[in-house]
Amino acid sequence: MPKTTITFVCRECGGESLRWAGQCPHCRAWNTLEEFTVRPAAARHAAAARATEGPSRPVPITDVEEDDEPRVRLEWEELNRVLGGGFVKGGLTLVGGEPGVGKSTLLMHAALQITARRGTVLYASAEESARQVRMRAARLGALTPELLMFAENDVESIIGAIEQAQPALAVVDSIQTVYDPGVDSAPGSVTQVREATGRLMRAAKQTGVPIVLVGHVTKEGAIAGPRVLEHMVDTVLYLEGERRLDFRILRATKNRFGSTDEIGIFAMGESGLREVEDPSAVLLAEMSRSAPGTAVVPVLEGSRPLLVEIQSLLSAVAGPGVPLRRTANGIDLNRVHMILAVVENRGKIALNQKDVFVNVAGGIRITETAADLGLALSVASNHHNVPLPDGTVVIGELGLAGEVRRVAQIERRLSEAARRGFTRAIIPRGAGDQPHRISDSAGTPDQGAAGPLRTLEVRDLAEAISAAFPAHMTSGANR
């Protein structure tokens, strides 16, 4: 009879080692190896025989059907967008987020939308009692007989319930509290999480039921458990947002059936979450149009343009010898350092005695370079204590020589700005040569589909500052 063997698995990279060591031999991370018990596997000869017969036999790639995977669509288009069209039948999805951010609430809303279409949802709660889940369902208005409650943390029992009920969706909350009785370790360990996820993955593929796993995150923001957990599932979603704020952002970091560039924006209220159908209007609802240091930038999140408000604040240092502070929220700090260096050297704005604070309003995180010019003009607005003219948006990448570079899909950005009532756009010179309906560098109104939007084309940062603050520059206030 084959014996069980002991190996050690790295919770960061999933690499295996026969002996424990302080450093993982694969990814060189320290103190990440944990004991893993390997149970006897089935005979390899039998597995090889099954590989050439039955439904799993190899077939020519030309015989594979081209149809998309069947999906379970939801009423919320924000959620469908992030998933790539809905839950894929037989797919395994992992939803992570900080405690209290609204993971269980989001999945309860998804379950309610599926049951509204006469589908059945199995909610396996391995962390909360059935009464606690019922209280949440009552608060969200999800009390329906099509929602099957199953308070169990035994993975064999959960799989058995899925096979028996054959629901349209199964939710396991959470994977860190599920255990496999055949594994001699505590729930939440590398061994348990890896084995339980593997068994649920096989159950999803065999039954065709989409399964959603809820995962906790560590203090570093990563999903708790072995890194291999994210490699095993088909889709990884992160629900982001501050608990004291209303907005929640659902972001896909891995999706085998769709794009990872899309985001979904939701608002948390007393009755749970609701989707935000017009994010630009919500993100700019509390904008102060007459405050210096504020710039509006159209950014792309996947296929959708969003109008985002960039805020900056300059403050004199406390005294000589005090180190300068550079703080950024919602944008890469290294990018901020580079833009500030360009502003100081090419824009002739002294920042060597100023603390700089940068914030992206609404909890949005900007990852593209199209917001460079907006950040630079926000800092210049603070320096001159003059706000940008009302109804102005800024688009452009900033180079180290101070040149303003063109960005992709500028027509979609301008169309979104015009739809929200903006009347003036500062864009890179030469963008008018691209195939879209905008005005020329003289700034004549565009009467196309984008609406009456004036565009001012600029070549470099100095020209952009002059275009943004014409009256201030003319009066000689730029000292």
Side-chain angles (χ1 to χ4, degrees):
M1 181 177 180
K3 297 182 179 180
T4 59
T5 58
I6 301 295
T7 186
F8 295 89
V9 179
C10 176
R11 62 172 176 266
E12 293 294 330
C13 67
E16 297 184 3
S17 177
L18 295 178
R19 298 178 180 178
W20 185 90
Q23 186 181 36
C24 174
H26 304 281
C27 66
R28 301 301 179 183
W30 288 94
N31 300 322
T32 57
L33 293 180
E34 297 186 9
E35 185 176 314
F36 185 84
T37 303
V38 181
R39 293 180 296 177
R44 289 187 171 86
H45 296 291
R50 289 195 303 269
T52 57
E53 61 185 21
S56 299
R57 68 181 186 278
V59 296
I61 193 171
T62 53
D63 295 343
V64 179
E65 297 181 359
E66 296 183 1
D67 296 338
D68 294 335
E69 293 286 342
R71 296 180 181 267
V72 180
R73 291 190 61 85
L74 304 164
E75 296 179 5
W76 283 354
E77 288 303 323
E78 291 292 305
L79 190 52
N80 289 329
R81 179 184 292 106
V82 179
L83 292 170
F87 289 108
V88 176
K89 293 186 177 181
L92 189 63
T93 303
L94 177 63
V95 179
E98 296 181 356
V101 74
K103 302 184 296 296
S104 300
T105 300
L106 176 67
L107 295 177
M108 189 64 72
H109 280 293
L112 176 61
Q113 295 173 22
I114 292 177
T115 58
R117 300 184 179 183
R118 297 184 179 180
T120 304
V121 177
L122 176 66
Y123 197 101
S125 177
E127 189 171 359
E128 297 178 313
S129 65
R131 183 171 300 178
Q132 290 175 308
V133 177
R134 188 189 189 282
M135 292 173 59
R136 180 187 300 112
R139 177 170 53 87
L140 302 178
L143 289 179
T144 171
E146 282 76 21
L147 180 58
L148 307 179
M149 180 61 209
F150 191 56
E152 182 61 65
N153 58 358
D154 187 342
V155 67
E156 292 183 353
S157 301
I158 294 174
I159 294 176
I162 294 174
E163 294 174 347
Q164 181 180 5
Q166 289 294 313
L169 177 70
V171 179
V172 180
D173 187 5
S174 65
I175 188 60
Q176 276 84 13
T177 55
V178 174
Y179 79 97
D180 186 344
V183 177
D184 297 331
S185 60
S189 63
V190 173
T191 305
Q192 286 287 1
V193 171
R194 185 176 180 177
E195 284 295 302
T197 303
R199 297 195 59 182
L200 289 170
M201 178 184 64
R202 290 190 293 271
K205 306 305 179 186
Q206 293 173 358
T207 62
V209 176
I211 300 178
V212 181
L213 309 178
V214 178
H216 300 303
V217 297
T218 62
K219 60 182 180 180
E220 290 83 11
I223 295 181
R227 181 64 62 179
V228 72
L229 173 63
E230 300 186 27
H231 301 322
M232 296 173 66
V233 301
D234 299 312
T235 305
V236 179
L237 306 179
Y238 277 90
L239 187 62
E240 306 170 354
E242 297 288 340
R243 283 181 288 179
R244 65 179 183 274
L245 300 179
D246 294 337
F247 295 117
R248 301 291 188 270
I249 299 175
L250 185 65
R251 190 185 306 272
T253 60
K254 174 186 177 181
N255 193 348
R256 291 173 177 165
F257 309 110
S259 172
T260 58
D261 296 327
E262 302 288 353
I263 66 169
I265 301 180
F266 305 88
M268 178 68 77
E270 296 181 357
S271 58
L273 291 170
R274 60 177 179 85
E275 65 173 342
V276 178
E277 298 179 355
D278 191 354
S280 296
V282 176
L283 293 173
L284 299 179
E286 301 178 1
M287 176 183 174
S288 177
R289 295 183 180 271
S290 59
T294 297
V296 177
V297 178
V299 298
L300 287 179
E301 288 289 351
S303 60
R304 178 172 56 178
L306 297 177
L307 297 182
V308 178
E309 177 187 358
I310 296 181
Q311 302 172 337
S312 67
L313 179 64
L314 304 183
S315 177
V317 295
V322 178
L324 298 179
R325 296 183 61 186
R326 301 289 188 261
T327 304
N329 183 28
I331 191 169
D332 182 45
L333 183 58
N334 292 326
R335 193 75 186 177
V336 172
H337 283 302
M338 190 195 78
I339 299 302
L340 294 179
V342 175
V343 169
E344 187 167 12
N345 288 272
R346 309 303 181 186
K348 307 303 180 182
I349 295 177
L351 299 175
N352 55 350
Q353 296 297 324
K354 299 288 185 179
D355 292 333
V356 182
F357 305 90
V358 178
N359 178 57
V360 179
I364 299 294
R365 181 164 184 83
I366 298 178
T367 57
E368 62 172 344
T369 58
D372 290 353
L373 185 58
L375 174 58
L377 293 184
S378 171
V379 174
S381 171
N382 252 311
H383 175 75
H384 299 306
N385 198 29
V386 176
L388 271 76
D390 288 344
T392 301
V393 296
V394 185
I395 307 172
E397 178 184 352
L398 203 57
L400 293 180
E403 77 278 12
V404 179
R405 298 174 176 268
R406 289 183 288 182
V407 297
Q409 303 187 44
I410 194 170
E411 180 187 8
R412 303 184 64 181
R413 305 173 194 265
L414 295 174
S415 298
E416 178 67 12
R419 187 182 71 85
R420 294 306 314 163
F422 286 84
T423 58
R424 193 166 179 261
I426 300 176
I427 63 175
R429 183 173 295 276
D433 299 334
Q434 298 181 15
H436 50 254
R437 293 185 297 273
I438 61 176
S439 66
D440 56 18
S441 59
T444 56
D446 173 28
Q447 301 297 336
L453 181 67
R454 298 180 57 215
T455 59
L456 300 175
E457 297 186 6
V458 296
R459 182 180 291 107
D460 52 31
L461 178 59
E463 191 174 342
I465 295 176
S466 299
F469 316 104
H472 180 75
M473 300 301 294
T474 302
S475 62
N478 183 23
R479 292 183 293 270

